[in-house]
Amino acid sequence: MINRRNTLAYFGAATLGMNLPALAFQPTSETPIPSAASGAENEAASVAPKVVCRIIGVGDLGIGVAVAAFASGLIQAPDCQPEFAAVNLGRRGISAAIKANRQHPEYAPIRPVQLGRYGAGGNVTVARAAAAKYDHTLRSLVDGAEIVILVMGLGGGTGSGVGPILAKMAQEVGALTLAVAITPFRWECAACQIASQASKDLERECTYTVTLPNQEIGDLLGVDATLDDLVAQQELCGSFSIHSLMTVGSRFCIDRRRPA
């Protein structure tokens, strides 16, 4: 079982409310500093298996961000093997994953999992019931992973209902469980109430969570921003967050493999 306190210290920030990423996604590369033992360490690293990281988009918004992150080509790390999946109750988000897979018909990189036909309709209870019905299928998404990164919007049905359940499953298999959660605008009163409870559930089940509030994203974009601008910024901030979590998480897992 992962020690939550030590892991949070490793990540170096509070569990919730991490600062929003910059508007421009600027990946950086790190140059290793040679040392006396660097040759032996590099040789060992070259034969060590890569960290398996499952990036799972949950619900329409989560799938949209996860698919955008995959399409960006920036979700990669030298010591990590990212694998993508999409979970939804309806067809809309799943269609985005299938469309992305058509660009790579030889291996279909995003695994689509559809738990229902018509969506959750914003009802968390419906989403939880679907998760219970397809318990075995959901557990197969996290089995064998060292890192699980869940991406979801909170305030609706699927993300708020299925996301915390998947997080608990990931914790049970010993994976480092991380999340990127997009929360509603303040004026979305009903959605905010659902999101507040779902955030508490995620905080309980996840080791580390990055929260991206729509309110702050909208404030950054300004009053003239369109819905397309908002979606593009969600995808940009979400991709940045996934990349950062995967990079730091893979280093944590590599360090965890080393004998004390």
Side-chain angles (χ1 to χ4, degrees):
M1 184 63 66
I2 295 173
N3 185 299
R4 183 184 178 89
R5 179 176 295 177
N6 291 343
T7 307
L8 290 176
Y10 191 98
F11 274 70
T15 309
L16 294 173
M18 189 178 188
N19 290 335
L20 281 173
L23 289 177
F25 183 34
Q26 300 173 336
T28 58
S29 58
E30 296 184 1
T31 304
I33 301 174
S35 64
S38 61
E41 290 176 356
N42 289 339
E43 183 178 352
S46 64
V47 298
K50 289 188 175 184
V51 174
V52 177
C53 176
R54 300 269 166 76
I55 300 165
I56 306 174
V58 185
D60 289 337
L61 181 53
I63 293 173
V65 172
V67 170
F70 166 76
S72 72
L74 297 170
I75 308 302
Q76 52 186 303
D79 52 3
C80 190
Q81 175 186 335
E83 300 174 354
F84 289 80
V87 177
N88 208 4
L89 264 72
R91 184 70 177 172
R92 181 181 169 190
I94 296 298
S95 297
I98 293 173
K99 182 178 179 180
N101 282 341
R102 287 175 181 157
Q103 306 297 320
H104 307 272
E106 66 280 3
Y107 68 103
I110 304 175
R111 179 183 172 186
V113 175
Q114 187 171 343
L115 306 179
R117 297 180 62 186
Y118 306 112
N123 191 320
V124 176
T125 302
V126 171
R128 289 172 179 163
K133 180 178 180 180
Y134 294 98
D135 178 90
H136 180 74
T137 301
L138 291 179
R139 289 184 184 279
S140 71
L141 293 177
V142 300
D143 283 343
E146 289 182 77
I147 304 173
V148 173
I149 301 177
L150 300 169
V151 189
M152 73 209 78
L154 300 182
T158 304
S160 302
V162 179
I165 292 174
L166 268 171
K168 183 176 182 179
M169 291 176 178
Q171 289 277 33
E172 289 173 352
V173 300
L176 176 63
T177 309
L178 312 171
V180 178
I182 301 172
T183 57
F185 289 95
R186 284 194 292 265
W187 50 263
E188 299 179 88
C189 298
C192 285
Q193 291 179 359
I194 297 173
S196 177
Q197 182 57 53
S199 293
K200 294 176 184 177
D201 294 340
L202 270 182
E203 184 178 0
R204 184 176 63 251
E205 302 298 348
C206 287
T207 306
Y208 192 93
T209 301
V210 174
T211 303
L212 303 177
N214 271 339
Q215 188 66 49
E216 293 189 28
I217 295 175
D219 291 344
L220 286 172
L221 293 174
V223 295
D224 295 328
T226 66
L227 179 59
D228 288 341
D229 294 332
L230 176 66
V231 171
Q233 195 61 37
Q234 288 172 341
E235 293 175 350
L236 187 66
C237 292
S239 297
F240 181 94
S241 300
I242 293 169
H243 178 270
S244 299
L245 289 176
M246 186 185 72
T247 302
V248 179
S250 61
R251 291 174 189 160
F252 173 83
C253 290
I254 292 294
D255 289 347
R256 192 171 60 164
R257 288 176 180 176
R258 294 176 181 147

